[in-house]
Amino acid sequence: MPGFEFFGDEERKEVNDVLETGIMMRYGFDGPRKGIWKSVELEKEICKTFGSRYAQLTSSGTAALTTALAALGIGAGDEVIMPSFTFVASFEAVLSVGAVPVLVDVDETLTLNPQAVLNAITRKTKCVMPVHMCGSMADLDALVHICKEHHLILLEDACQSIGGTYKGRALGTIGHAGTFSFDFVKTITCAEGGVVMTNNEDVYIKCDGYTDHGHDHQGVDRGADLHPFIGYNFRISELHAAVGLAQIRKLNTFLSIQKKNQTALKNMLKQIPEISFRVIPDENGDSCTFLSWFLPTEEITRAAVAEMKAAGILPGNFYWFDNNWHYIRKWGHLKNAAALNNLNKDQYDALIALQTKDLSASDAIISRCVSTAISLLWTEEQIKEKGEKMVGAIKKALERSTVGI
Ligand SMILES: *Cc1c(COP(=O)(O)O)cnc(C)c1O
């Protein structure tokens, strides 16, 4: 997820355009900004690149999810089905609009298990939110089908999968709405930023107002705007949008390097018959930011992680089962409903119930999974060296397990 690895003159030029006029806000100041509209330009570029009819930039990916949920009419009394393996932002956004996050099992796609989604549907379910984790996608045909059958909204959290596709369509553009994050470690970065994409004009107009205090952006100036509904400030700045504009022009380069590097590493790991790889519903659509792989048991996986650590190659290899950010096992704050202010009763009860929820099917997958981050900067020699060290460490762990130490 490495936009920051390719940062240079292009970003500086775009940012300097803004600094020259000094107009760092995306709205208004029509005269002094001298025709510089970086946020508008980036939104157009996003629509063109990903084939979305509308795009609304936000101050972060979390803000994009919050905005999308609000614009889709999801709030108090509603349940949103989401995966147990994601980034904390997914449930933060659901809680922030007053809705209840319902966390369900993932399968070997590392995203929502469609059967688990079906099992979780209640009268209160309003939305299914797949999270396309680690560069690749959920089984979208199955999820679209479920949403149609049950009249549910499909909101794609594609924050980690910029540039991924499913059957030729960009991830994030297939549901009623979808989001990207442009935070510092994502595939392309604005430093901080995000976007909601949708093909629905009504949803887009709501996103546009919601991210700017409810302004309808129809007045002759900001003071003359009407406020048809309550909004907040989730605006992106022109400086951030400028960075993103330079980055999005490099996206195809990033994707082709990722694909090449991921394929090279995968071919090396394939030597080990005990390794299996993440199930990818559309192999061609993998954005290849990570290579995610499994070993046969938790014990062997832990041993392999320890061997990789000893070999000095743990950085860049993520064992999510022990990670505090991405898997429910370590989300004590969520399971204890440790909010600073009062949650509504539905939310509080649902969070406390997570303490005893059976997610053993997810445990059985995530405890055997390692994701290797793919760098844009690796040389062929570096990939070979990294791959050899990984193969060596994994083989050691497998040998130890067969001799029973
Ligand atoms: C990064 C991320 C977000 C939130 O993005 P921010 O821009 O950091 O707020 C949401 N969901 C997922 C899956 C992410 O990886």
Side-chain angles (χ1 to χ4, degrees):
M1 305 158 91
F4 70 84
E5 292 179 325
F6 263 49
F7 193 91
D9 289 345
E10 302 84 356
E11 285 78 5
R12 268 189 289 277
K13 190 242 161 225
E14 295 299 324
V15 171
N16 278 333
D17 286 350
V18 178
L19 292 177
E20 303 237 319
T21 66
I23 305 302
M24 292 178 279
M25 178 164 176
R26 69 161 299 177
Y27 297 112
F29 303 92
D30 294 24
R33 69 190 314 135
K34 301 196 175 113
I36 305 280
W37 298 89
K38 297 299 179 188
S39 307
V40 174
E41 227 186 306
L42 179 54
E43 284 166 349
K44 281 193 186 139
E45 201 64 32
I46 289 168
C47 289
K48 202 173 82 194
T49 305
F50 302 103
S52 176
R53 200 164 296 156
Y54 304 101
Q56 177 64 46
L57 285 167
T58 57
S59 50
S60 71
T62 312
L65 283 170
T66 304
T67 299
L69 288 161
L72 292 164
I74 295 157
D78 298 328
E79 293 178 354
V80 178
I81 298 176
M82 52 168 281
S84 57
F85 173 57
T86 176
F87 178 55
V88 288
S90 314
F91 67 71
E92 289 167 0
V94 173
L95 290 172
S96 76
V97 297
V100 171
V102 177
L103 286 92
V104 308
D105 279 321
V106 295
D107 58 23
E108 290 199 346
T109 64
L110 297 182
T111 64
L112 281 178
N113 177 336
Q115 188 57 48
V117 172
L118 274 177
N119 296 345
I121 293 173
T122 70
R123 273 184 307 108
K124 292 183 173 174
T125 307
K126 184 129 178 205
C127 175
V128 177
M129 185 164 87
V131 183
H132 303 305
M133 282 297 278
C134 306
S136 179
M137 82 280 324
D139 181 350
L140 281 166
D141 277 352
L143 296 175
V144 166
H145 181 75
I146 290 170
C147 287
K148 280 197 176 137
E149 290 260 293
H150 295 266
H151 307 288
L152 302 175
I153 291 164
L154 183 68
L155 169 59
E156 295 175 81
D157 179 345
C159 287
Q160 289 197 8
S161 311
I162 301 171
T165 58
Y166 179 73
K167 301 190 174 175
R169 292 164 73 194
L171 299 180
T173 66
I174 293 160
H176 295 89
T179 63
F180 291 151
S181 161
F182 302 125
D183 79 21
F184 193 58
V185 295
K186 296 304 203 275
T187 307
I188 53 177
T189 183
C190 293
E192 298 286 356
V195 70
V196 183
M197 294 177 293
T198 180
N199 292 320
N200 182 311
E201 186 179 16
D202 178 56
V203 172
Y204 162 69
I205 289 171
K206 287 173 176 163
C207 290
D208 176 61
Y210 191 78
T211 52
D212 187 24
H213 306 292
H215 279 267
D216 70 355
H217 298 136
Q218 301 294 316
V220 285
D221 59 50
R222 282 178 73 72
D225 280 347
L226 299 177
H227 303 90
F229 50 80
I230 296 167
Y232 297 89
N233 178 2
F234 292 142
R235 293 187 306 257
I236 196 164
S237 83
E238 286 286 276
L239 290 172
H240 292 88
V243 174
L245 201 50
Q247 288 261 305
I248 198 170
R249 294 178 183 136
K250 304 179 186 177
L251 177 63
N252 282 338
T253 309
F254 294 175
L255 292 172
S256 63
I257 297 172
Q258 281 174 183
K259 193 165 202 95
K260 181 165 106 319
N261 291 355
Q262 196 224 46
T263 306
L265 189 65
K266 188 171 185 179
N267 285 338
M268 295 188 74
L269 294 195
K270 273 184 184 164
Q271 298 169 32
I272 302 179
E274 290 88 349
I275 289 189
S276 59
F277 294 94
R278 172 185 192 172
V279 172
I280 298 178
D282 177 2
E283 290 270 355
N284 289 327
D286 186 359
S287 76
C288 299
T289 52
F290 282 90
L291 177 64
S292 296
W293 43 279
F294 304 100
L295 285 167
T297 65
E298 174 180 345
E299 196 190 358
I300 297 171
T301 313
R302 284 189 179 280
V305 169
E307 291 294 346
M308 288 195 292
K309 188 169 182 187
I313 51 164
L314 198 57
N317 280 301
F318 295 93
Y319 183 55
W320 306 117
F321 199 53
D322 284 347
N323 181 293
N324 292 340
W325 266 17
H326 290 282
Y327 187 53
I328 189 170
R329 195 166 84 96
K330 298 266 186 147
W331 292 339
H333 65 317
L334 181 72
K335 292 185 272 190
N336 293 324
L340 292 179
N341 48 4
N342 283 335
L343 296 167
N344 68 50
K345 187 171 181 327
D346 286 351
Q347 292 179 316
Y348 182 84
D349 292 346
L351 297 190
I352 297 299
L354 288 175
Q355 292 175 4
T356 50
K357 183 158 184 169
D358 177 14
L359 289 164
S360 52
S362 300
D363 285 348
I365 287 162
I366 303 297
S367 64
R368 297 184 297 107
C369 177
V370 175
S371 297
T372 307
I374 303 298
S375 170
L376 294 175
L377 301 177
W378 288 341
T379 62
E380 273 178 40
E381 295 74 53
Q382 282 171 326
I383 296 174
K384 194 156 172 277
E385 192 190 327
K386 188 176 176 84
E388 277 166 4
K389 283 188 179 164
M390 285 174 68
V391 167
I394 295 162
K395 279 189 174 160
K396 263 195 202 168
L398 285 163
E399 276 158 25
R400 272 195 3 211
S401 83
T402 49
V403 295
I405 302 168

